Each structure stands twice: as C-alpha cells, then as structure tokens.
C-alpha cells in the first residue's frame, strides 16, 4: 500500500519509515533566497488571504529551534555534526546555518531508510547547493557522490548586474557501491546523423562500424577465429565472439570491406541514442499553458521526475519524497509502477495530491494508498482547529476540492469574507463560474450566513458555501433556505449552502454542477493512460 503522510518529515521518518526500506529518495527542500519560496500562493506583492498557508515560515531562521537542532546533531557524534561545527565557524549563527542545521537530521534519516542499493537526488538552487553537497559528503561519504546534475529550468532570466540564473542543481549520491542504475539516452542531434550516418533507399539513417579490435592479452584468445576465410589483422582480434558474429550473419547485419573484413550494419532508429549526460537542457519547466500545470508555485515537470525514477529505480521499487508538495514525484512513481511514500507539512499539499491522483486515475485510486495524519473524526478535526487554525481551514476546503483564496481576494489586508474558491465550467459558453466558501471553526450563527450571502452577491458568484465545525441551528438553516437557486442543466442548486465538518467526514459534498472543463482547487491533472489506470495494484511490504 502506498502512503501519504501529513506532518513534519523528520517526525514521520523516525516514527513510520523502517531502516533500509526505500529504493530511491528525491527531495526538493524549500529555501528562502531573496524570494520567499516557502510561501504557497503568495503573489509578488506579498499579499495573501487569511487562509494563506506558509509551509515553512520561520523554519530557516536562526532561533531557539534551529539552535536546538544544531545541538542535537552535534551531540549525536555523527559526521554531520562535525560539518555543522565547521559551517558555524564560517557562517556564524545565520539563516543559512539554520537551514543546514534543520536539513542535517533529515538527511541522516533519509540515509537510514535507504537500502544499500538505493540512491538520493537532492534538488536545490545555487544559493545553498555547495553547502548541501558538503553536508551530503559528511553523511554519505564523498566517495558516494556520483553527479551534480545541472537542469536548465528557464531560457532567460533578467538578473541585474549578474548573469541570468536559469539552472538548478540536483545532487546525486548512492548509499553503497552497488546501486541501481538504468542508463538513460537522448536522441542524436540532426547534425550528428548527417556527419556519421548515410541514408538508404528507404530513407533510413545507417552506418557500418568495425568488428575488429586491439588485442588485449591471453583473454582475447576466444576472439581469434577464422571468419569465412578471414582472420583479424596482426595485433587485433574480432570485437565479438563467434556466436555473436553468427547471429549478426543470420540477421543480415554484416557488410564486408573490399578486403573481406566484416563490419556491422547499424540503423539509427534501432539505436538507443546518446547516453544521458549531467547537463539537462531538454526538459522545460512547467509553463503557464502546460496541461500538467496545477497552479502550485514550485511545481516541477513530471518528465524530470520520470527520468530520475527510470534511471535509479525499477518497477515495484519504493520511492520516497519527504517534501512532496503538489505530488509530481508521486504522479511519476504511480505512472511508472513504483510504490511511493509522500510526506508534506501542509494539508494544502496533501489535498492537492489526492485530487491529482483522482483526476488521473479515477476515484478507485483512493483504495491503493493510505493517508496518515489527516483528521478522520470530528475529534481529530477539533484538535486540528484548536492547534492550527489555518491548517484546519485548508484541510476543510480540501475536502470539497476548494482552493484557499489567493491574494486576488485581498484588499487592504482583508479577505473580504472569502476563505476558499472553486472555479467551474458547466456549459459551453466558456464563462468561468465560481463558488465562494467561508470556513468557521468556532461559534457560528445566522449572521455568518447573511455575511456569506452578501459576499456571493458582491462577487457575483453562482454558489456560496459555509463550512462550520458546529452543528447548524434552525435560524441558520432558515437563513440559508431564503436564498435563491442556481440553475444548470443538471438541475437547481441552492445559492447558499451550509456543510458541517461532520457532513464532510461522512462524504457529503456541495450541491453543484459536475466539473466539465476546469478543475476545482487547481487545474485538473491529465488523465493517465488507460493501461496505467487499469493496472493491478502493487502490494506495499515496506514501512507499517
């Protein structure tokens, strides 16, 4: 069974993920470098709604929490502690040191959960990549460093008084020396075809390559044989054993020089291409018009993750992403028949991943994974509301597929009564319809219903929904019932609706037209291939 965890990844790793149970780790940890990458859905102006979730706000600041993390790593006696001591001498008690102090125990745990044949890919930008590489050297050993992959994530960037920053780094380490590796290839360049191949009468590119090679000691004895009256030249052997030469002959792949020396016929379209190098310029970022774009600000292209998973894991292997965000690693793992573990500290991300999977594979996909850490009872929801009101609000919105209201709704720091939004299309007019939502964790009454009606009228929304922790009162129901109706081809839908958290946990949803062209919280993930959607579910024998 695949697993999706809500919570701090350090706690989840320590509590739930067993030693040597994971084949591949990919992580893209946020870091604040002159732009607050940690804030989800913040606009450049910095404004956001009251429900805005800041995934790691203050996480990377040097404070008591960072100092404690530093001390714990240093006192553990691990080599990572020695690295942090050196960093502190160089960086002082800075935000960068806080970042490294918080990352160190997580990387130690990630090494623990990796199998001896496993590997880790850490995605970062140049702001911290050199420090993270030194930290990884301390934890995995410098001999386990395999590559720094440079991913070109943009074509151009206007950075005043410096060269445009258009690349990210992906640090690739293995846990042991016998790690999983599947060579990936890229197509030949067109000019390579023209310079190294010729075209046959059918228009196929081909070439012939020699089938002799330099002689290397006594071990080459089985490559010295007579082939149709021809022996290799002095100090040379044939490049393949006689069984292989016979197979080439049966398949009609041998061509002969004027002296009778065999060569091998190769067609370009039968060849895998160029082995993949460490500079990747062929995978563009997720642009605003891309089908896979879900509206998540740090979303990585699925092609990028598919390449990493294909290179360093096989079908049925376990892939872990401890900062899984909008779930691109999970989407790629699902498509490639890998098992997966995703961890994130926001309900926003967890809700998005659940929706992304359902959009791609249908509702039955929910039977193939567990969600751990989300409220499953009214008591759980009440505890979340008391401890983390913003997380409660986002979790509740996620149950109905709503997106937290962005800064487009904010005027002078006020959210104007809108906590969440759903955009939908229910006809062919092309007009975007809206459902506005208000979430209340505390006391509610008919005034909140009247406020919602005013918001619906002001925003010209089609439907308004009030989500409450408390049971509705007779006065609230009466106030909602006095509203109008929105009519679609699927029937009539109350203009003002009230749903309690108990309603949501029991599976009740908004009375609304079904989605047609546009998703709700985010753009809909594209449907997975039918073969993927219908494949047999993989049993998960890893962590409990």
């Amino acid at each position: 069974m695949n697993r999706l965890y809500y919570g701090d990844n350090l706690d989840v790793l320590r509590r739930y993920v067993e030693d040597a149970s994971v084949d591949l780790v990919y992580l893209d940890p946020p870091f604040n470098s002159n732009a607050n990458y940690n804030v989800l859905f913040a606009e450049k102006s910095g404004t956001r709604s009251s429900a805005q979730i800041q995934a790691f706000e203050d996480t990377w600041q040097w404070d008591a929490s960072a100092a404690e993390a530093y001390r714990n790593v240093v006192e553990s006696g691990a080599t990572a502690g020695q690295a942090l001591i050196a960093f502190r001498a160089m960086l002082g008690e800075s935000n960068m040191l806080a970042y490294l102090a918080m990352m160190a125990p997580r990387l130690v745990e990630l090494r623990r959960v990796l199998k001896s044949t496993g590997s880790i890919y850490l995605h970062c930008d140049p702001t911290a990549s050199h420090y993270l590489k030194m930290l990884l050297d301390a934890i995995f050993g410098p001999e386990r460093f395999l590559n720094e992959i440079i991913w070109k994530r943009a074509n151009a960037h206007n950075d005043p008084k410096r060269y445009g920053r258009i690349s990210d780094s992906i640090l690739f380490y293995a846990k042991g020396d016998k790690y999983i590796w599947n060579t990936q290839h890229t197509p030949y360049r067109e000019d390579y075809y023209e310079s190294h191949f010729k075209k046959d009468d059918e228009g196929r590119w081909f070439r012939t390559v020699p089938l002799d090679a330099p002689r290397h000691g006594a071990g080459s004895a089985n490559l010295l044989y007579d082939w149709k009256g021809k022996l290799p030249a002095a100090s040379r052997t044939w490049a393949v054993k006689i069984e292989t030469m016979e197979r080439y002959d049966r398949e009609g792949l041998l061509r002969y020089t004027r002296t009778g020396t065999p060569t091998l016929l190769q067609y370009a379209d039968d060849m895998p291409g160029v082995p993949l190098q460490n500079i990747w310029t062929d995978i563009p970022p997720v642009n605003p018009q891309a089908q896979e774009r879900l509206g998540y600000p740090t979303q990585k292209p699925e092609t990028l993750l598919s390449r990493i998973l294909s290179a360093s894991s096989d079908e049925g292997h376990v892939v872990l992403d401890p900062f899984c965000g909008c779930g691109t690693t999970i989407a790629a793992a699902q498509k490639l028949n890998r098992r997966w573990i995703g961890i994130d500290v926001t309900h926003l991300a967890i809700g998005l991943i659940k929706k992304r999977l359902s959009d791609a594979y249908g509702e039955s996909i929910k039977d193939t994974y567990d969600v751990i850490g989300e409220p499953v009872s009214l008591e759980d929801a009440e505890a979340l509301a008391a401890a983390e009101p913003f997380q409660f609000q986002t979790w509740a919105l996620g149950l109905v597929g709503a997106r937290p209201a962005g800064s487009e709704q904010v005027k002078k720091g006020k959210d104007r009564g809108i906590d969440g939004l759903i955009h939908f299309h229910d006809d062919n007019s092309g007009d975007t319809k809206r459902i506005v939502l208000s979430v209340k964790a505390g006391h509610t009454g008919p005034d909140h219903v009247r406020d919602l009606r005013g918001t619906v009228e002001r925003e010209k929304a089609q439907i308004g929904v009030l989500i409450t922790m408390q049971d509705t009162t007779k006065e609230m129901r009466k106030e909602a019932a006095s509203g109008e109706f929105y009519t679609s081809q699927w029937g009539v839908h109350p203009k003002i609706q009230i749903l309690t958290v108990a309603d949501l946990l029991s599976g009740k949803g908004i009375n609304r037209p079904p989605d047609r062209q546009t998703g709700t919280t985010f753009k809909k993930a594209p449907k997975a291939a039918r073969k993927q959607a219908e494949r047999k579910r993989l049993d998960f024998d890893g962590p409990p």
Side-chain angles (χ1 to χ4, degrees):
M1 181 72 75
N2 301 313
R3 286 184 169 84
L4 192 56
Y5 291 94
Y6 161 70
D8 184 304
N9 51 31
L10 182 59
D11 178 60
V12 171
L13 288 167
R14 288 173 172 170
R15 291 177 59 193
Y16 295 106
V17 188
E18 294 181 347
D19 295 356
S21 61
V22 173
D23 297 283
L24 173 63
V25 171
Y26 169 87
L27 66 158
D28 182 13
F31 180 72
N32 186 347
S33 55
N34 300 324
N36 195 352
Y37 297 149
N38 305 329
V39 178
L40 305 182
F41 304 113
E43 299 297 321
K44 292 182 179 179
S45 65
T47 56
R48 56 189 179 271
S49 73
S50 62
Q52 177 63 58
I53 300 302
Q54 298 187 35
F56 293 94
E57 185 181 29
D58 300 328
T59 298
W60 312 134
Q61 294 184 15
W62 186 261
D63 54 16
S65 176
E68 181 181 3
Y70 172 90
R71 185 175 61 252
N72 289 340
V73 177
V74 169
E75 293 178 354
S76 71
T79 54
Q82 298 300 313
L84 288 185
I85 292 173
F87 285 140
R88 186 170 189 171
M90 179 173 59
L91 300 170
E93 295 178 351
S94 62
N95 289 348
M96 179 62 77
L97 181 63
Y99 177 68
L100 297 170
M102 300 297 276
M103 285 301 301
R106 289 162 171 80
L107 292 173
V108 169
E109 290 299 317
L110 292 172
R111 184 186 183 280
R112 175 186 64 79
V113 304
L114 273 175
K115 296 178 182 177
S116 61
T117 55
S119 54
I120 182 171
Y121 289 76
L122 195 162
H123 193 138
C124 52
D125 74 7
T127 307
S129 60
H130 46 305
Y131 299 121
L132 289 169
K133 184 176 185 296
M134 295 173 69
L135 190 56
L136 285 164
D137 281 348
I139 295 170
F140 284 81
E143 71 281 4
R144 298 303 177 211
F145 169 69
L146 298 173
N147 283 111
E148 179 176 359
I149 300 162
I150 304 300
W151 174 49
K152 181 183 175 184
R153 56 176 170 78
N155 290 322
H157 202 270
N158 183 20
D159 293 312
K161 295 186 178 181
R162 68 179 72 188
Y163 302 108
R165 294 170 292 184
I166 62 171
S167 67
D168 282 355
S169 293
I170 304 174
L171 303 174
F172 173 30
Y173 282 73
K175 185 173 183 179
D177 56 357
K178 295 182 179 179
Y179 54 91
I180 299 160
W181 179 250
N182 304 307
T183 301
Q184 303 297 295
H185 298 84
T186 55
Y188 297 114
R189 301 188 313 272
E190 188 65 29
D191 59 354
Y192 183 82
Y193 287 120
E194 295 174 355
S195 61
H196 289 74
F197 292 83
K198 298 179 180 179
K199 279 189 177 181
D200 63 13
D201 294 339
E202 298 178 353
R204 293 180 70 188
W205 292 103
F206 77 94
R207 70 180 180 185
T208 57
V209 296
L211 279 173
D212 61 342
R215 185 179 302 181
H216 295 290
S220 301
N222 61 350
L223 298 176
L224 287 170
Y225 52 86
D226 180 292
W227 179 255
K228 296 189 177 181
K230 183 72 175 179
L231 290 170
S235 301
R236 297 185 72 81
T237 67
W238 298 124
V240 296
K241 296 179 180 180
I242 190 169
E243 296 84 1
T244 303
M245 190 77 83
E246 290 171 345
R247 177 170 62 82
Y248 289 158
D249 190 39
R250 289 194 303 272
E251 294 174 355
L253 297 178
L254 294 182
R255 299 293 183 270
Y256 295 87
T257 66
R258 286 177 293 178
T259 62
T261 301
T263 63
L264 176 64
L265 174 66
Q266 293 181 328
Y267 284 99
D269 52 14
D270 288 336
M271 300 171 66
V274 182
L276 185 62
Q277 308 299 298
N278 75 313
I279 298 179
W280 297 356
T281 62
D282 59 332
I283 299 177
V286 182
N287 66 67
Q289 286 75 43
Q291 185 182 13
E292 69 178 278
R293 185 175 181 86
L294 301 175
Y296 198 87
T298 59
Q299 182 178 353
K300 300 300 184 292
E302 198 170 309
T303 307
L304 181 71
L305 273 300
S306 294
R307 173 174 288 177
I308 290 171
L309 269 59
S310 297
S312 293
S313 69
D314 297 322
E315 287 196 13
H317 281 176
V318 179
V319 177
L320 166 65
D321 187 341
F323 296 89
C324 59
C326 66
T328 301
T329 304
I330 290 170
Q334 186 74 26
K335 186 175 291 185
L336 293 174
N337 293 352
R338 273 65 168 169
R339 294 175 289 169
W340 49 263
I341 303 171
I343 310 171
D344 204 274
V345 75
T346 69
H347 285 293
L348 182 66
I350 300 301
L352 173 57
I353 294 168
K354 291 159 60 178
K355 177 170 171 46
R356 183 174 189 170
L357 290 170
S358 295
D359 286 345
Y361 297 96
E363 291 300 310
S364 62
I365 191 68
K366 293 179 179 178
D367 297 331
T368 69
Y369 67 89
D370 287 332
V371 181
I372 299 170
E374 279 202 320
V376 294
S377 68
L378 194 58
E379 291 75 15
D380 292 342
E382 290 171 344
L384 178 63
E388 301 179 80
F390 285 174
Q391 291 283 17
F392 165 78
Q393 184 171 286
T394 305
W395 166 76
L397 292 170
L399 292 180
V400 293
R403 171 177 181 163
S407 60
E408 62 189 270
Q409 304 300 327
V410 181
K411 297 289 181 67
K412 298 181 180 180
K414 298 180 180 180
D415 61 16
R416 303 187 66 186
I418 303 175
D419 294 324
L421 286 169
I422 295 175
H423 295 97
F424 68 97
H425 292 78
D426 60 349
D427 54 35
N428 296 321
S429 67
D431 295 334
T432 299
K433 314 293 178 61
R434 293 199 307 165
I435 301 172
V436 297
L437 298 98
S438 176
V439 180
K440 302 297 180 186
H443 175 74
T444 50
D447 287 347
H448 293 114
V449 182
R450 283 190 288 271
D451 290 343
L452 176 62
R453 179 181 294 108
T455 301
V456 169
E457 293 173 353
R458 183 189 68 238
E459 299 295 326
K460 296 181 172 57
Q462 280 64 42
I463 296 172
V465 178
L466 175 65
I467 297 176
T468 75
M469 175 68 77
Q470 295 183 339
D471 287 337
T472 59
T473 65
K474 179 179 179 181
E475 290 76 14
M476 291 172 65
R477 293 191 294 272
K478 180 178 179 182
E479 185 67 38
S482 64
E484 300 175 353
F485 290 86
Y486 171 68
T487 302
S488 74
Q489 58 182 298
W490 286 273
V492 293
H493 316 278
K495 193 91 170 180
I496 303 298
Q497 302 178 29
I498 306 174
L499 291 171
T500 66
V501 169
D503 290 334
L504 299 179
L505 290 173
S506 69
K508 186 176 180 180
I510 300 172
N511 182 343
R512 49 159 295 189
D515 298 325
R516 288 174 64 87
Q517 302 168 18
T518 300
T520 52
T521 304
F522 302 82
K523 284 181 61 181
K524 274 195 174 181
K527 286 286 185 182
R530 183 175 298 275
K531 180 179 179 180
Q532 290 291 332
E534 296 177 353
R535 68 180 176 81
K536 291 184 177 180
R537 176 176 125 188
L538 291 166
D539 291 326
F540 190 97
D541 298 322

